[in-house]
Amino acid sequence: MNISRRRFLRLLSGAGVTISAHDWLFPRLEAYANERLAYGDLRGPGFTSFSRSVCRDCPNHCSLAMRKVDELPVGLRGTPWHPASLGALCVAGQSQMQALFDPDRLERPLQRPDAGAAAQAVEWDEGIQVLDERLRGLLSSGEGEKIAVVDGRTPSLGTRLLESWVRSIPGARYIPLRIEHALDRLVRQFLGGGAGGRLRFDLARAGTLLLVGSEILEHDGSPVTQMRTHGDRRENPLLSHAPTLYLGARQSPTAVQADYWIPCQPGREHEILLALAEALSKEHPQRDSILPEYARWISDALDPVGFARRYSLESVARRNRLDVEELEAAVRALRRFHPAVTLPGPGILRRPNGFSDAFAGLALNLWTDGFREEGGLSWGRDPLTDLTQELGLGPPGEADPASLSNILDPLFEIQRSPVDVLICVEANLVHELPGQDQIARALSHIPFVASFSTHEDETSRLSHVTVPTLIDLESWDLPSAAWGSPEASLQVQRPALVPVVEGRAVEDVVLGLASAGVAGPGFSPGAENWKDTVKAAVELIVERREGDLVDADGRRTLESASASAAVRSLVSGRSVWVAPSEPGARAEESEAGAEAVGGRGVRPERPPRLTDLAPNQLWLIPFDTPAVQRGRVLNRPMMMEISGMTHGLAWESWVEIHPVDARPRRIVTGDRVKIRGPRAEISTRAIVTRGVTPSVVAAPVGFGHEAFGSVAAGRGANPLKLPFAVLDKRTGAPAWGPVPVFLLKA
Amino acid sequence: MAKELSGSELKTRRWGMAVDLDRCTGCGACVAACKVENNIPESSPEEAQMGRVLRWIRVARREEPEGDRASVSLYPALCYHCGNAPCTLVCPVHATYKGIDGLVGQIYARCIGCRYCMAACPYTVKVFNWSEPRWQPELRAHTNPEVSLRYRGVVEKCTFCSHRLQRARDDAAVEGRDVREEDYQPACVEVCPAKALTFGDLDDDHSGAATARRSPRGYQLLEELGTDPAIVYLNRRERRV
Amino acid sequence: MSESRRSPADRDEPLYRPIEHTGAGFYLTAALLMAVVLFGVYQYVNQFRLGLGVTGMNQPVTWGFYIINFVFFIGISHAGTLISAILRLNQAEWRRPITRMAEVITAIVLLIGGLHPLLDLGRPDRMLNIFKWGRLQSPLLWDVMCITAYFAASTVYLYVPMIPDIAKLRDRGTRPRWLYDFLSWRWKGTPRQRQVLNRAMNILMVLVIPVAVSVHTVISYIFAMTLTAGWHSTIFGPYFVVGAIYSGIGALLVIMIVFRKVYRFERYLKLVHFANLSKLLLVMSIIWFYLTFSEYLTGFFGREPAELAVMMFKLSGPYAVPFWLMVLLNFVLPVAILSRKRTRTIPSILVVSIGVVVGMWLERLIIVVPSLAVPYVDFPSHPYWPSLTEISLFAAAVALFWLGFMVFAKFFPLISIWEIEEGREVAIEEASSRIAGYLPDEPDTPVPEGTGRAER
Amino acid sequence: MMYRLFIDTWAFATGVLLFIGWLMMVAIRWQDAFNWTLAISLVMTPVYLTVAGTLTYVFIGLRRGASEEETRP
């Protein structure tokens, strides 16, 4: 056969096309085929997949695995790779799905002409525009100090971004609303430690463990880890006979687990602690040098002798209705089982004089060096510190504990606001701070309030613009705690599913504002949008993994030499104690009480005496429990059912009272009771139990939402209505305090 | 590759649990896990008022008064899968029965809702669907497909997550081996932060559950009734200083 | 005397009157009762749609009104057959005007009581599973068996002695003819037929008594077979049977007094009948108290914590009021009133017997609920209050009972006529001869060989 | 029509007996408390038989009695 040129060329070109196709087309076809056929076969009906994210309800930041069947999320589980949780997950973490699919979630920003008015939903850009204008105005006029941002979230790269954005604006205030910060700061002041670091108590190394207002098994730091270490401690043959003592007015689950519960009248913990310290210090070399420090600071019994008399076991036991044998037993235990350590927890700061208790608690540690030497006390350096710098977010600043009260106090006294713009980021001030109505009134005096929140909560109702935020399962972030811990692991929070609500992360809003020029000079984030920022951060960490994650020098051992110096530094400076006015006080009286917060009429710090109680009056002690989390998780039906479970309650709040107080009032478990405090009256169910000390009414904090979704709203009562709005100036802790109340059957 | 076995060829076991009261802090994580895993519907506040909250596992609180104080203990209470189960004796339609490996099963599709088993259970762990189950509208679609949804008028209770056991048995059968202990764990055990729950085969002397059962601290709830519960509690060590 | 001169037919005229003449009062009452029943039906349909959530039952208290009423009604049912059978067996002559009513009560109440477990079902639509998957091991199935048997036996036992009366109605030509025609089975009263009837009745009497006893024993077993504190007790069988007979007699007395008034049976139901029955009531009351006492004493003396908790819950706890009310109505009142001849008047008997019926209902309540409300383990207990559904269904059941009784009275005589006649004709001689048989023989008569069995 | 009751009686009795039989079969199939089933059914069966028997006896007896009455002169 003969081939014509034309035909030859055709063949040639055909061959060329085929060859080129072989390189370019076939791989794609193959890939497509794989995608379509092979992979398609693989994921038949019922195909189960897991996508991971991080729960940030508590600082433990357990990592979650969302189980999906046919791409449909069907539940959350812990991941066994997480160093702290090892596959476990607490109640709140498991209920996140319900928050995710809550029909009441905000989808678009809400705007109000003025606080308290009816809100109308606006477009995203509109909502942010309002914020933009406000801030821009203040920036242009150089009044940065009129901006304040309250951040209620657990620490993460996101909070750091927000922080550095705020700090970049000269004078603007960034206020983290977290009690752990206060405690860390206090401890740091006393025991030293790196800035932005976090102190960790390794229970597994403690001999005697004396818990003061510290619910380690519930919500101090990381419940999951603490529970584990506690359990292991019980198994540890060396420590299996070492006791755990719990000092407090209520037998919390932690106290239930403790071997010994020393019930004491609320606000008198420090007395008992000092008594123990006194008893222990008998043979201590530094006794004479240190005791005067206490004496001076406690501001009575100036001479060591008087101190010794006042804080002898006998007198303290008498004042607290305890057997002296009990205290002696405690002393014996502290002497015998070394190393002994005292844990002053956040709970102890929830009081106007909580500082003194915490201080006294720490004071005991002076005699417990062994614990430190064994590495039981360690200082976790927070890698975010360096990381944020490398990301161009600048160094983290030290939050001023008094700043929030500095803002609120003037509002209580003279209704003139020190700030023009208050931005609350997932911080429901009205619900979580004591003196609800006071706070609400205070907010109403601020010219412009903006709130970032998933639901329309009490604070958003009083804010001019409310911006929706994302649930942890939908958003990007880099939580700090987990990989700040010595047993480190890189953990990235990322969307576990397509966002249920089309929304924006807080950080994206911030970056948007920044890129629009609403930011200080120093602020230069790596990327335009939040997702890329997180990714950049992750890359950085992976680069410097060794340097960061195994922080050898991060741990600091503490020098007892610095102790007395620390005492001195603590003693100088003044904190606030407002004496609760007489019950049934009229409005103006309570105003007067509130004014005291501003600094006028301040009394020397002193725990409330039992004589402060009028006849048949009781101490109300609001307590914080992880199944309620100050109301932050109550928009999930599961939490509503589980929170009161051990008392056989669901969808309800309660108060715990002792039979001694219940009998004369003819109250039995399940009755409705009224609690009348100096400021307000609440009604809830009573649980008669011997798990509290006599003359105490213990109430969980967080119920009684007025907004925050249909599930949470109007269930139970909020005990924080009763106390005055007191924010401890030294610790910045909202002082729930023991409040004298009347209890009667409804 | 061993040859495939049929379900009946697998070694029969007696699955049981040990609850260490020294570790249990009553945090309720097990309750939450159970609710999610087994599609237990939500309750309305009104139902809660009447005491109709559906729970397969709950955290009970016991107080023994000691003068002014009480020694409080918190412990998870769930179906005890009794070796000699009173509920299975009285069921008129064979809806609750002793299933594979001594698990007490419940056939929702057959239960006529006479609630005799609830009355007969000395541990009050069975619950009844008083009305149509309810979920958040969106969450209804996100229930666990491995566990059937129950409807109004039937009794239900903890099954030790028998669907997990079923899967473990299938895998084992395919691979031609017996079910290993690590293959199968109920959701509550898996999630417990304090590791207070140990799950295993009570017949196998080396399993955690069996050893716990032998320990001097171990006791069974209402042992005197002779129901032989498969769950053993480890009493708290008395270590008063 | 004037009686004897009149012909037998019209002598018992008053007994036919309710069947042949129907007044407006009847329709009025029937309509009223019907309304109550219909409301109950409506409520049940509601429950069927929405589930048992419409009742007041809750987590520990999983059995409520329905089971209580079930036990209560079945208890009432012992009125009839058992009593009439016993009386017939030992030939108590005063039984004649009573037996029929008693048997009717049984038949009707059994029907109603038997329905209650179905009301209690969470899934009535799956009721047939009992037939498909039933397990005879379950005491519930024992109930099904016993109650069916008892119902069968007692209806037969009601029907067979009624045949002669039906025949009479047939002969009078009362409408509907076909019914009496069909049911009377060509009864002519020939000696052969009488003999057959008597023999059948004797067999049935002997059969019915053990069945009746078994029924309530088995119902008590529903509770006693569980391990629940307060239920798990051996005395429950006899305790329930006694209670059943007790409440049965109470109900019978109420019915008798009411219909005596309505249908003017004063000439048939005389004070002596009530006196005798109320003596029986008194005896039962004492036996009941004896059993209650021993039941509680054993529980109390043992100091078994769970038992004690339940008991305290009844004696001094939330159920103290019903408990002591029960003691008052079931023991104090009957003994106080019935033990004295002077107070044994018809009105007071009515009061007492109503009290007994109420008291026995309370007893069922006290047996069923507290044991559930106080479980072994510490479980948050919730108070049990019946909802409107449960209450209205109870009302409907009671109404249905009265309605049923009225309707029966419209078709068949409430007092067995032929037995009355038989009484008039043969009973006196028979009785006197029997009594003569009891007396010691004259010294001169030779000792009779064989057994001195009284002739019938 | 006359035999209606007669038939019903036996239908009822045999129905119950069949039911008991079926339950025994179920018990065997499920290997579930056969001994109980046997015991209970042994108690119940005669009861139904006696009831049905008596009723039959009555029906037949009465009819016989009636007819013999008619044959009499």
Side-chain angles (χ1 to χ4, degrees):
Chain A
M1 60 181 287
N2 61 337
I3 301 167
S4 72
R5 175 189 290 121
R6 178 180 300 266
R7 192 145 169 223
F8 170 74
L9 288 176
R10 206 180 287 154
L11 281 178
L12 198 63
S13 53
V17 170
T18 323
I19 289 162
S20 54
H22 183 273
D23 287 349
W24 180 84
L25 184 60
F26 291 167
R28 280 162 180 70
L29 280 176
E30 196 175 352
Y32 179 79
N34 287 343
E35 171 98 12
R36 270 293 162 179
L37 309 174
Y39 194 45
D41 288 350
L42 190 76
R43 37 191 322 147
F47 178 81
T48 306
S49 61
F50 290 90
S51 53
R52 288 170 60 184
S53 186
V54 173
C55 162
R56 280 174 51 201
D57 282 343
C58 83
N60 196 42
H61 297 311
C62 302
S63 76
L64 301 168
M66 177 182 274
R67 177 158 166 264
K68 298 179 183 172
V69 175
D70 298 333
E71 288 307 304
L72 199 69
V74 297
L76 296 174
R77 293 180 182 177
T79 56
W81 309 283
H82 187 272
S85 73
L86 300 180
L89 206 54
C90 75
V91 195
Q94 296 181 54
S95 64
Q96 282 229 349
M97 285 262 291
Q98 295 190 331
L100 201 57
F101 293 102
D102 187 349
D104 300 331
R105 269 182 69 184
L106 287 180
E107 304 201 354
R108 287 156 64 210
L110 301 177
Q111 196 179 346
R112 287 184 175 77
D114 54 356
Q120 75 265 20
V122 295
E123 288 310 317
W124 268 93
D125 298 336
E126 265 184 77
I128 292 167
Q129 187 57 35
V130 182
L131 198 56
D132 186 306
E133 283 159 9
R134 279 288 179 165
L135 295 171
R136 199 177 291 279
L138 289 172
L139 281 181
S140 54
S141 62
E143 311 176 278
E145 71 281 1
K146 289 203 173 297
I147 301 172
V149 177
V150 184
D151 192 349
R153 300 175 296 172
T154 53
S156 72
L157 189 61
T159 57
R160 282 303 166 87
L161 182 84
L162 184 63
E163 179 178 357
S164 59
W165 175 66
V166 176
R167 292 192 189 289
S168 73
I169 303 169
R173 276 172 275 202
Y174 173 80
I175 308 163
L177 187 75
R178 298 196 49 255
I179 193 79
E180 289 85 356
H181 286 183
L183 189 66
D184 283 358
R185 195 181 309 110
L186 190 66
V187 174
R188 200 181 308 126
Q189 251 177 311
F190 184 61
L191 301 172
R198 295 194 52 206
L199 190 75
R200 274 191 308 279
F201 292 84
D202 183 356
L203 302 186
R205 297 169 193 272
T208 318
L209 198 59
L210 178 52
L211 305 172
V212 195
S214 153
E215 313 297 339
I216 49 168
L217 300 187
E218 292 171 272
H219 56 91
D220 291 10
S222 53
V224 171
T225 347
Q226 300 287 35
M227 283 193 213
R228 174 83 32 72
T229 29
H230 168 76
D232 299 345
R233 191 163 169 277
R234 286 294 181 81
E235 300 305 322
N236 177 344
L238 293 175
L239 298 172
S240 58
H241 293 295
T244 312
L245 306 131
Y246 181 93
L247 178 56
R250 170 179 177 260
Q251 196 171 15
S252 66
T254 309
V256 168
Q257 270 307 308
D259 302 293
Y260 197 54
W261 172 43
I262 308 174
C264 71
Q265 293 303 317
R268 283 182 171 273
E269 283 88 348
H270 79 290
E271 277 193 352
I272 293 176
L273 288 169
L274 289 175
L276 297 177
E278 211 282 328
L280 281 171
S281 72
K282 289 255 161 47
E283 69 278 8
H284 193 279
Q286 289 188 24
R287 173 187 170 87
D288 295 340
S289 67
I290 294 170
L291 273 184
E293 298 290 345
Y294 294 130
R296 221 179 95 235
W297 181 71
I298 297 292
S299 82
D300 50 10
L302 280 172
D303 58 314
V305 185
F307 179 89
R309 201 186 312 111
R310 176 163 179 69
Y311 293 105
S312 68
L313 294 180
E314 291 74 16
S315 55
V316 169
R318 196 174 54 253
R319 267 173 277 155
N320 286 281
R321 303 174 182 173
L322 292 167
D323 302 343
V324 74
E325 291 78 20
E326 298 179 1
L327 294 181
E328 278 161 357
V331 172
R332 268 203 308 284
L334 285 165
R335 269 221 194 81
R336 178 157 158 233
F337 297 107
H338 276 290
V341 63
T342 316
L343 289 190
I348 207 169
L349 297 181
R350 300 283 193 195
R351 280 192 228 99
N353 65 331
F355 172 76
S356 66
D357 300 346
F359 168 81
L362 290 170
L364 262 186
N365 283 328
L366 288 177
W367 286 272
T368 61
D369 300 338
F371 185 56
R372 267 175 273 133
E373 283 148 15
E374 292 197 10
L377 273 174
S378 65
W379 198 262
R381 202 160 119 272
D382 188 349
L384 276 177
T385 317
D386 315 337
L387 187 68
T388 41
Q389 270 162 338
E390 296 210 10
L391 287 171
L393 296 179
E398 184 64 31
D400 166 20
S403 46
L404 186 54
S405 53
N406 287 344
I407 294 172
L408 293 176
D409 297 349
L411 288 161
F412 296 146
E413 299 174 38
I414 30 157
Q415 282 68 20
R416 195 165 35 70
S417 169
V419 293
D420 283 0
V421 175
L422 180 69
I423 303 176
C424 305
V425 181
E426 294 189 4
N428 188 351
L429 296 181
V430 178
H431 188 71
E432 291 185 15
L433 295 187
Q436 209 171 14
D437 55 342
Q438 270 180 300
I439 305 285
R441 221 177 304 123
L443 287 191
S444 64
H445 295 311
I446 300 178
F448 183 82
V449 182
S451 75
F452 288 71
S453 161
T454 55
H455 291 64
E456 185 186 19
D457 56 23
E458 290 82 351
T459 309
S460 342
R461 282 197 173 171
L462 297 171
S463 58
H464 297 79
V465 58
T466 307
V467 184
T469 57
L470 294 173
I471 305 281
D472 306 344
L473 293 167
E474 299 171 314
S475 50
W476 287 89
D477 207 334
L478 213 49
S480 82
W483 46 272
S485 62
E487 65 290 327
S489 76
L490 174 59
Q491 184 183 18
V492 186
Q493 174 191 338
R494 64 207 133 175
L497 77 172
V498 190
V500 176
V501 170
E502 187 275 319
R504 304 182 194 179
V506 181
E507 295 78 10
D508 272 325
V509 175
V510 168
L511 288 169
L513 287 169
S515 61
V518 184
F523 185 71
S524 60
E528 273 304 300
N529 69 20
W530 174 233
K531 183 175 170 184
D532 296 344
T533 321
V534 175
K535 285 187 169 166
V538 174
E539 278 155 15
L540 271 176
I541 296 165
V542 175
E543 279 174 20
R544 317 202 274 61
R545 192 183 176 91
E546 296 78 12
D548 243 346
L549 305 185
V550 189
D551 54 348
D553 58 345
R555 303 184 175 186
R556 284 189 45 193
T557 53
L558 312 151
E559 306 80 15
S560 23
S562 73
S564 58
V567 172
R568 211 165 282 111
S569 72
L570 285 175
V571 171
S572 61
R574 198 186 56 179
S575 83
V576 184
W577 157 246
V578 178
S581 73
E582 285 317 295
R586 293 196 307 284
E588 53 269 32
E589 283 176 12
S590 56
E591 287 304 326
E595 279 175 16
V597 183
R600 281 183 266 135
V602 172
R603 300 206 206 145
E605 176 168 296
R606 168 161 52 76
R609 293 254 163 74
L610 286 179
T611 54
D612 298 346
L613 280 178
N616 73 45
Q617 219 176 14
L618 302 173
W619 287 119
L620 172 77
I621 50 169
F623 65 88
D624 189 1
T625 141
V628 179
Q629 298 200 353
R630 305 189 289 299
R632 284 172 182 228
V633 295
L634 284 187
N635 56 352
R636 314 168 187 176
M638 188 188 285
M639 304 307 286
M640 273 291 186
E641 281 182 14
I642 293 182
S643 47
M645 171 180 53
T646 49
H647 288 311
L649 291 176
W651 294 86
E652 271 191 299
S653 67
W654 69 93
V655 290
E656 299 168 6
I657 54 175
H658 194 277
V660 171
D661 304 318
R663 223 174 284 112
R665 296 173 172 79
R666 290 198 188 65
I667 296 171
V668 298
T669 298
D671 284 355
R672 283 219 148 272
V673 290
K674 285 214 295 291
I675 298 152
R676 193 187 302 134
R679 309 187 47 74
E681 177 174 289
I682 60 172
S683 157
T684 179
R685 288 207 179 280
I687 300 293
V688 179
T689 167
R690 288 179 168 75
V692 291
T693 44
S695 78
V696 158
V697 185
V701 169
F703 286 94
H705 273 286
E706 287 153 10
F708 204 54
S710 56
V711 172
R715 310 250 175 258
N718 183 1
L720 294 190
K721 281 184 174 155
L722 302 182
F724 291 100
V726 180
L727 291 157
D728 191 302
K729 277 221 194 293
R730 186 180 271 111
T731 56
W736 294 342
V739 189
V741 293
F742 287 101
L743 177 77
L744 24 122
K745 193 169 179 174
Chain B
M1 178 66 196
K3 72 175 262 295
E4 198 164 319
L5 297 171
S6 80
S8 56
E9 289 171 285
L10 294 177
K11 175 165 169 249
T12 38
R13 297 177 174 278
R14 172 119 161 78
W15 298 107
M17 191 189 289
V19 181
D20 189 341
L21 297 185
D22 253 352
R23 283 171 169 268
C24 175
T25 62
C27 68
C30 44
V31 185
C34 181
K35 269 186 170 299
V36 174
E37 176 78 11
N38 294 304
N39 304 331
I40 299 174
E42 295 157 12
S43 68
S44 72
E46 297 70 33
E47 285 172 329
Q49 279 283 329
M50 298 185 72
R52 293 174 175 179
V53 182
L54 291 186
R55 282 195 202 103
W56 287 9
I57 178 172
R58 66 192 172 88
V59 177
R61 177 187 172 97
R62 170 177 296 147
E63 281 187 19
E64 278 111 19
E66 294 174 353
D68 245 9
R69 311 182 198 166
S71 78
V72 179
S73 57
L74 301 160
Y75 61 92
L78 59 159
C79 174
Y80 291 81
H81 294 272
C82 309
N84 161 22
C87 58
T88 58
L89 295 180
V90 298
C91 177
V93 293
H94 205 287
T96 178
Y97 65 102
K98 293 289 287 181
I100 43 171
D101 293 3
L103 266 58
V104 176
Q106 183 85 24
I107 306 176
Y108 310 120
R110 189 185 292 171
C111 174
I112 58 172
C114 66
R115 306 192 299 298
Y116 196 178
C117 52
M118 297 175 76
C121 174
Y123 302 97
T124 19
V125 292
K126 295 199 139 197
V127 291
F128 184 70
N129 287 277
W130 296 100
S131 45
E132 278 307 331
R134 195 186 313 90
W135 279 273
Q136 275 175 13
E138 288 81 358
L139 274 175
R140 175 69 176 73
H142 296 272
T143 48
N144 180 1
E146 290 180 350
V147 178
S148 63
L149 302 181
R150 285 79 55 187
Y151 292 98
R152 89 177 128 73
V154 302
V155 176
E156 60 185 64
K157 71 168 194 57
C158 159
T159 62
F160 265 173
C161 290
S162 56
H163 55 283
R164 294 188 176 200
L165 173 61
Q166 200 47 57
R167 208 196 297 124
R169 281 174 63 92
D170 294 348
D171 296 351
V174 168
E175 291 166 24
R177 55 171 174 84
D178 285 329
V179 179
R180 288 190 243 93
E181 282 197 346
E182 56 269 30
D183 295 347
Y184 164 44
Q185 244 189 0
C188 50
V189 179
E190 181 184 78
V191 85
C192 177
K195 292 276 168 280
L197 307 179
T198 329
F199 193 77
D201 180 3
L202 295 178
D203 295 344
D204 166 9
D205 289 353
H206 308 299
S207 75
T211 37
R213 203 181 206 189
R214 285 196 304 271
S215 108
R217 289 162 59 208
Y219 72 93
Q220 292 170 320
L221 198 56
L222 300 183
E223 221 160 352
E224 65 274 19
L225 296 183
T227 51
D228 179 25
I231 293 177
V232 57
Y233 290 99
L234 297 187
N235 214 335
R236 298 186 54 196
R237 296 191 186 83
E238 197 58 38
R239 293 184 311 165
R240 288 303 161 85
V241 294
Chain C
M1 276 304 100
S2 64
E3 296 286 330
S4 54
R5 251 183 263 103
R6 292 162 59 180
S7 74
D10 50 22
R11 188 200 264 175
D12 291 330
E13 209 38 47
L15 299 184
Y16 296 105
R17 158 179 296 280
I19 301 170
E20 286 157 359
H21 310 86
T22 310
F26 174 83
Y27 292 110
L28 217 64
T29 332
L32 197 69
L33 295 173
M34 207 58 208
V36 179
V37 173
L38 285 179
F39 184 68
V41 171
Y42 161 73
Q43 286 290 351
Y44 180 70
V45 171
N46 227 359
Q47 174 184 318
F48 191 90
R49 265 182 40 250
L50 303 173
L52 280 173
V54 298
T55 67
M57 293 182 270
N58 59 33
Q59 208 43 27
V61 187
T62 49
W63 278 349
F65 253 43
Y66 298 142
I67 298 295
I68 296 169
N69 296 340
F70 167 63
V71 181
F72 171 70
F73 279 116
I74 302 289
I76 297 282
S77 76
H78 282 48
T81 312
L82 197 58
I83 294 168
S84 72
I86 291 169
L87 293 184
R88 276 221 177 89
L89 261 185
N90 56 25
Q91 300 164 11
E93 283 302 329
W94 54 278
R95 73 167 192 276
R96 296 183 183 277
I98 297 173
T99 49
R100 177 70 48 80
M101 287 197 192
E103 290 150 11
V104 178
I105 294 180
T106 304
I108 297 172
V109 162
L110 260 184
L111 266 180
I112 297 168
L115 277 179
H116 274 80
L118 304 186
L119 300 185
D120 189 56
L121 286 191
R123 294 302 298 258
D125 50 326
R126 295 189 184 158
M127 194 186 74
L128 291 181
N129 279 3
I130 292 179
F131 297 100
K132 193 170 175 209
W133 300 114
R135 300 169 70 236
L136 273 179
Q137 183 185 8
S138 163
L140 275 185
L141 260 284
W142 305 354
D143 265 2
V144 173
M145 290 292 166
C146 288
I147 291 177
T148 353
Y150 188 41
F151 182 66
S154 54
T155 30
V156 172
Y157 184 63
L158 166 67
Y159 170 63
V160 169
M162 213 159 60
I163 293 178
D165 286 359
I166 298 174
K168 285 180 187 299
L169 287 165
R170 177 197 58 196
D171 300 343
R172 288 170 65 97
T174 318
R175 331 192 151 283
R177 283 245 179 72
W178 62 271
L179 179 69
Y180 301 115
D181 222 19
F182 168 54
L183 285 180
S184 59
W185 285 89
R186 301 222 213 126
W187 171 268
K188 292 218 177 53
T190 61
R192 171 88 187 261
Q193 286 180 322
R194 285 184 177 282
Q195 180 203 6
V196 169
L197 198 68
N198 279 328
R199 199 172 288 157
M201 278 164 65
N202 292 339
I203 298 172
L204 285 171
M205 273 181 240
V206 178
L207 175 72
V208 155
I209 292 173
V211 173
V213 170
S214 80
V215 167
H216 228 67
T217 316
V218 163
I219 284 182
S220 81
Y221 286 170
I222 289 187
F223 303 100
M225 289 299 148
T226 68
L227 296 172
T228 315
W231 285 358
H232 190 54
S233 142
T234 51
I235 206 173
F236 258 38
Y239 188 35
F240 270 49
V241 173
V242 167
I245 299 171
Y246 188 29
S247 61
I249 298 171
L252 177 58
L253 273 166
V254 176
I255 291 282
M256 277 166 63
I257 294 172
V258 169
F259 280 86
R260 173 174 185 269
K261 196 113 211 87
V262 174
Y263 292 144
R264 304 194 203 77
F265 288 158
E266 287 83 353
R267 284 185 26 245
Y268 294 84
L269 301 173
K270 295 189 285 191
L271 186 53
V272 59
H273 300 108
F274 294 103
N276 290 353
L277 270 180
S278 58
K279 279 176 203 151
L280 198 50
L281 196 67
L282 183 60
V283 173
M284 294 316 293
S285 148
I286 289 160
I287 300 176
W288 175 87
F289 181 77
Y290 160 66
L291 286 178
T292 315
F293 174 76
S294 44
E295 155 81 358
Y296 280 83
L297 183 66
T298 45
F300 183 77
F301 193 84
R303 293 235 167 256
E304 205 254 302
E307 282 284 346
L308 213 58
V310 177
M311 197 164 299
M312 284 305 128
F313 193 79
K314 298 174 182 174
L315 266 60
S316 59
Y319 276 69
V321 175
F323 180 84
W324 294 112
L325 190 61
M326 168 190 83
V327 174
L328 175 76
L329 292 175
N330 280 0
F331 181 66
V332 181
L333 213 60
V335 171
I337 293 180
L338 299 184
S339 54
R340 312 227 308 289
K341 193 172 189 2
R342 197 156 47 70
T343 51
R344 226 183 283 132
T345 65
I346 288 182
S348 59
I349 289 177
L350 179 63
V351 172
V352 169
S353 43
I354 290 175
V356 166
V357 173
V358 174
M360 281 314 293
W361 186 86
L362 286 174
E363 191 227 23
R364 309 312 191 189
L365 170 76
I366 283 162
I367 286 174
V368 172
V369 175
S371 288
L372 289 169
V374 188
Y376 279 107
V377 295
D378 15 30
F379 191 93
S381 181
H382 298 267
Y384 166 69
W385 287 108
S387 71
L388 173 66
T389 314
E390 286 160 295
I391 293 170
S392 52
L393 274 170
F394 183 30
V398 176
L400 195 61
F401 165 68
W402 285 100
L403 200 60
F405 208 90
M406 283 166 60
V407 170
F408 180 89
K410 275 300 141 202
F411 288 95
F412 306 104
L414 278 181
I415 291 176
S416 122
I417 300 164
W418 69 274
E419 283 191 272
I420 297 281
E421 285 176 353
E422 183 191 57
R424 287 210 194 81
E425 289 152 10
V426 299
I428 296 170
E429 300 86 69
E430 182 189 314
S432 49
S433 68
R434 199 189 326 140
I435 294 160
Y438 302 151
L439 294 173
D441 294 335
E442 295 304 321
D444 51 356
T445 53
V447 179
E449 59 284 343
T451 65
R453 180 162 169 275
E455 280 303 321
R456 294 207 62 172
Chain D
M1 176 59 192
M2 270 317 225
Y3 288 91
R4 181 67 194 294
L5 267 182
F6 185 72
I7 295 159
D8 289 355
T9 318
W10 278 103
F12 174 73
T14 42
V16 174
L17 296 185
L18 283 177
F19 174 41
I20 292 176
W22 163 252
L23 290 187
M24 292 173 82
M25 275 172 60
V26 172
I28 293 165
R29 188 192 302 161
W30 288 92
Q31 294 147 2
D32 172 38
F34 176 71
N35 44 355
W36 285 87
T37 320
L38 192 66
I40 305 280
S41 39
L42 282 183
V43 177
M44 294 320 291
T45 320
V47 175
Y48 290 100
L49 287 177
T50 340
V51 173
T54 327
L55 210 52
T56 326
Y57 169 72
V58 171
F59 293 152
I60 294 170
L62 292 193
R63 298 180 72 73
R64 284 253 186 75
S67 51
E68 124 189 323
E69 168 75 5
E70 275 149 10
T71 55
R72 227 182 253 165

